[in-house]
Amino acid sequence: MRSQRYVNEARLRIDDLSNLKKLFGGFDANVSLIEEVFDVEISVAEDSIVIKGKQNGSSAQLALKFLEELIQLFQEGLEVEYRDLQKMALAFKADRNAWWKNEAGETILVTAYNKPIRPKTPGQVKYVQAVRKAEITFCIGPAGTGKTYLAMAMACAALQRKEVSRIVLVRPAVEAGESLGFLPGDLKEKIEPYLRPLYDALYEMLSPERFQKFSDRGTIEVAPLAYMRGRTLNDSFIVLDEAQNTTAEQMKMFLTRMGFGSKVVVTGDITQIDLPAGKTSGLVLVQHILKDIEGIEFIYLSERDVVRHHLVQKIILAYEQFEKKASSKK
């Protein structure tokens, strides 16, 4: 007799045991994640997977359809990492659509360590498509949504395809003020900590040795924003990271560095602005100034596009709810 707590049930026949192993994952991690997302309990009975829903509705049927989509991926010889599985499950639950089948497109880049980089959420797909189409793309969203990482991957891919002759990666140093003189060490030692995340990603994509060769030749440049003043960058893929910490004047200065044959991507999180009181973020202001210009795209990512640990998504939501309550009390 079925327990009272299960109010809907579905079954999925499994003909290939290797697919069953992939579905469940090491220590049943995959199936535990799917159970949590869809609010179901999954078990195996002979040659079938039994899915029992814990609430009224069609949770079991929805989980069943998601499992069917996963098995189709396995049959096509594709692997699904645990961190990707969570994003796929959450997106499928929200939209009831296997968006990755038709929209994910080709792999952007294969890293030096044979890891394919591709968009993993519907928002990331729109972002990548916008960068490919537009000459200037602004991507605004919370930490962990892949804003900078995907931009850098597309920059490296463009360089490999010889669509550009160099990559220029830029960040404001020492929050927005770039007060480098007060820090210990020579100039390189002062700016290194603020550019380190960009170096780390490049090491992964290209390998440290290959990156060093590109850097020595000037093919790839990683620099603080202050270094952009007075320059014109032709035939370049230019990425400005942490753009929420630019002033309005710095944003204008940066955007007017763009030369012929160049592509610009600007990324930032307008919920984490470190500017001094009274200073308006250039990334906030530019949305109003450039919103109607053809050739410029604005993409907005959300907590649904976070590709870090699943708790990061919950943390972002919790802070958003807290800040909304605090604002309503003012």
Side-chain angles (χ1 to χ4, degrees):
M1 181 175 178
R2 192 170 61 188
S3 170
Q4 293 277 324
R5 64 190 284 252
Y6 300 116
V7 292
N8 58 89
E9 181 177 310
R11 286 178 176 261
L12 174 63
R13 184 181 175 86
I14 297 292
D15 297 319
D16 188 340
L17 289 179
S18 66
N19 287 335
L20 184 63
K21 293 179 181 178
K22 291 177 182 178
L23 276 178
F24 274 71
F27 301 102
D28 293 346
N30 290 352
V31 77
S32 296
L33 186 151
I34 294 169
E35 286 178 328
E36 179 183 354
V37 170
F38 291 97
D39 198 19
V40 297
E41 184 174 288
I42 299 174
S43 59
V44 178
E46 297 180 349
D47 59 351
S48 298
I49 290 178
V50 180
I51 310 161
K52 296 179 178 181
K54 299 178 182 180
Q55 299 178 1
N56 289 319
S58 57
S59 59
Q61 289 295 328
L62 188 60
L64 169 65
K65 291 179 182 178
F66 179 70
L67 291 175
E68 289 174 339
E69 295 291 352
L70 279 183
I71 288 176
Q72 184 175 340
L73 287 178
F74 297 150
Q75 290 173 341
E76 293 171 0
L78 299 176
E79 298 290 335
V80 179
E81 295 183 11
Y82 177 82
R83 61 181 180 179
D84 297 338
L85 179 65
Q86 183 204 23
K87 300 309 303 177
M88 294 166 66
L90 288 169
F92 191 86
K93 181 182 179 182
D95 301 331
R96 288 169 166 72
N97 177 41
W99 60 268
W100 56 86
K101 293 173 65 175
N102 300 317
E103 297 182 22
E106 299 177 0
T107 296
I108 298 170
L109 179 78
V110 177
T111 71
Y113 305 97
N114 206 33
K115 172 189 171 185
I117 299 175
R118 58 173 66 92
K120 298 176 181 178
T121 71
Q124 288 187 350
V125 169
K126 292 178 183 177
Y127 175 34
V128 169
Q129 291 172 343
V131 173
R132 286 174 175 158
K133 179 179 67 173
E135 293 176 89
I136 300 177
T137 304
F138 292 87
C139 185
I140 299 171
T145 49
K147 304 182 297 295
T148 306
Y149 191 78
L150 288 175
M152 292 174 66
M154 295 192 75
C156 290
L159 184 66
Q160 289 181 355
R161 293 193 298 265
K162 298 184 178 179
E163 296 172 358
V164 296
S165 62
R166 61 175 168 170
I167 297 171
V168 181
L169 306 174
V170 186
R171 260 193 169 195
V174 194
E175 286 85 32
E178 302 188 4
S179 304
L180 300 176
F182 294 100
L183 296 176
D186 60 25
L187 186 59
K188 185 176 186 301
E189 291 171 332
K190 290 175 181 181
I191 65 175
E192 186 84 7
Y194 303 96
L195 304 178
R196 175 51 54 188
L198 302 180
Y199 285 114
D200 290 342
L202 287 169
Y203 290 163
E204 178 186 345
M205 293 175 190
L206 301 173
S207 82
E209 295 78 13
R210 195 174 181 205
F211 165 71
Q212 192 60 52
K213 289 180 181 178
F214 281 135
S215 181
D216 291 343
R217 295 201 299 257
T219 305
I220 296 180
E221 179 183 355
V222 183
L225 179 59
Y227 280 30
M228 295 299 105
R229 195 173 299 278
R231 301 176 63 183
T232 300
L233 302 173
N234 295 314
D235 195 27
S236 304
F237 199 117
I238 313 158
V239 180
L240 172 59
D241 186 33
E242 298 289 339
Q244 75 275 6
N245 288 331
T246 62
T247 63
E249 295 79 11
Q250 287 172 327
M251 179 63 76
K252 179 182 177 182
M253 179 274 291
F254 169 78
L255 293 174
T256 53
R257 301 308 94 203
M258 182 182 184
F260 293 108
S262 290
K263 187 180 287 286
V264 172
V265 180
V266 178
T267 69
D269 178 2
I270 56 176
T271 69
Q272 297 190 36
I273 297 172
D274 298 316
L275 286 165
K279 284 284 188 179
T280 301
S281 167
L283 186 58
V284 171
L285 191 61
V286 78
Q287 297 173 75
H288 305 289
I289 298 174
L290 304 183
K291 63 180 180 180
D292 297 321
I293 296 181
E294 187 176 351
I296 297 177
E297 291 282 341
F298 285 87
I299 298 295
Y300 296 89
L301 302 181
S302 70
E303 77 283 345
R304 290 179 58 187
D305 300 297
V306 172
V307 290
R308 292 179 182 171
H309 193 282
H310 68 93
L311 284 178
V312 174
Q313 185 179 50
K314 295 179 180 179
I315 290 168
I316 291 169
L317 277 173
Y319 268 94
E320 286 181 353
Q321 292 168 2
F322 174 80
E323 288 163 1
K324 284 179 182 178
K325 289 180 180 178
S327 297
S328 65
K329 292 178 181 179
K330 290 181 179 179

